[in-house]
């Protein structure tokens, strides 16, 4: 029973679902954009048509292999940490709130819903920054190497890659990243302050 508690089931499940759905979509002829749309990409108007579930299913669809792999790497590091250190309940709260906020935030700012689980990824980053806070931002970032790698990754999504690398520039949903990150910071601040207050009262 103790062994099962050490397995990040939610993180593994989210990764596997993302892999299966994305690969199935890529391998289906003429399905890329139509399938993305059916899962929640495109015009945010689908929400007003009753497709609320697409807010969450869109997170498991990825545009290409680079998009999928980069998201899965940080989903594993951040998701496993949140799930194992703070509980599956915290993981689920972060997932549902961040995907809702990131998807609608991006829709409100640019009128489009995007695919990918990066809104959740950025929310976990914000939440963990609050959890690991060490007097200032620099100390907090260097306290865990994965944070530095993540900052580099963010920079790569903002700065277009050099032409000689042959990498696609792509459309990056910075609005979803920012809203997810801010939501993670706020939720982390609220939850840790609440725990601190309860600890003092007890």
């Amino acid at each position: 029973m103790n062994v099962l508690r050490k397995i990040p089931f939610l993180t593994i499940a989210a990764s596997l679902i993302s892999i299966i759905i994305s690969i199935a979509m890529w391998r289906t002829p003429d399905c890329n954009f139509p399938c993305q749309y059916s899962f929640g990409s495109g015009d945010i108007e689908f929400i007003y048509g009753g497709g609320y579930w697409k807010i969450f299913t869109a997170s498991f669809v990825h545009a290409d292999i680079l998009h999928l792999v980069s998201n899965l790497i940080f989903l594993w590091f951040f998701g496993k940490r949140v799930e194992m250190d703070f509980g599956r309940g915290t993981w689920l709260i972060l997932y549902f709130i961040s995907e809702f906020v990131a998807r609608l935030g991006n829709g409100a700012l640019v009128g489009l819903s995007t695919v990918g689980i990066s809104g959740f990824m950025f929310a976990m980053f914000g939440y963990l920054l609050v959890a690991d806070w060490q007097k200032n931002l620099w100390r907090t970032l260097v306290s865990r190497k994965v944070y530095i790698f993540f900052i580099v990754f963010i920079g790569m999504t903002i700065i277009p890659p050099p032409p000689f690398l042959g990498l696609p520039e792509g459309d990056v949903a910075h609005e979803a990243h920012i809203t997810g990150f801010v939501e993670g910071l706020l939720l982390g601040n609220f939850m840790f302050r609440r725990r601190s207050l309860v600890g003092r009262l007890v």
Side-chain angles (χ1 to χ4, degrees):
M1 208 63 179
N2 290 331
V3 175
L4 294 178
R5 290 180 180 176
K6 296 179 181 179
I7 300 175
F9 288 111
L10 294 177
T11 304
I12 292 172
S15 300
L16 289 176
I17 293 171
S18 296
I19 292 170
I20 292 169
I21 290 179
S22 296
I23 291 178
M25 182 187 72
W26 300 335
R27 291 179 64 86
T28 302
D30 302 319
C31 185
N32 196 359
F33 290 108
C35 286
Q36 286 188 37
Y37 185 80
S38 66
F39 274 92
S41 177
D43 199 317
I44 202 69
E45 291 292 328
F46 70 78
I47 292 177
Y48 305 114
Y52 307 109
W53 53 275
K54 292 184 179 181
I55 294 173
F56 305 106
T57 56
S59 62
F60 300 115
V61 179
H62 292 78
D64 52 46
I65 188 66
L66 187 62
H67 185 205
L68 175 65
V69 171
S70 59
N71 275 3
L72 290 182
I73 289 172
F74 292 106
L75 172 63
W76 176 253
F77 283 110
F78 294 157
K80 182 177 67 171
R81 170 101 190 281
V82 169
E83 189 174 351
M84 294 293 93
D85 291 357
F86 304 102
R88 295 188 175 100
T90 299
W91 192 102
L92 288 170
I93 289 171
L94 275 171
Y95 170 73
F96 283 111
I97 294 180
S98 66
E99 285 303 299
F100 181 81
V101 170
R103 207 75 61 199
L104 292 189
N106 196 78
L109 292 171
V110 299
L112 295 172
S113 174
T114 57
V115 293
I117 204 166
S118 54
F120 176 44
M121 198 168 65
F122 273 79
M124 290 191 291
F125 177 51
Y127 181 88
L128 292 173
L129 280 183
V130 176
D132 293 333
W133 188 257
Q134 297 185 12
K135 296 184 179 179
N136 61 60
L137 182 60
W138 175 247
R139 286 189 182 183
T140 304
L141 290 175
V142 299
S143 68
R144 293 184 181 272
K145 292 184 178 64
V146 68
Y147 291 161
I148 300 298
F149 287 121
F150 191 62
I151 295 297
V152 172
F153 168 72
I154 295 171
M156 290 173 63
T157 67
I158 296 173
I159 303 172
F164 69 85
L165 291 178
L167 296 174
E169 291 188 25
D171 295 320
V172 180
H174 296 299
E175 296 83 4
H177 295 172
I178 293 169
T179 51
F181 177 65
V182 171
E183 177 266 324
L185 288 175
L186 293 175
L187 191 59
N189 189 57
F190 170 77
M191 292 180 74
F192 287 111
R193 280 180 179 273
R194 188 165 174 266
R195 287 181 185 178
S196 177
L197 179 61
V198 171
R200 289 176 188 174
L201 292 174
V202 173

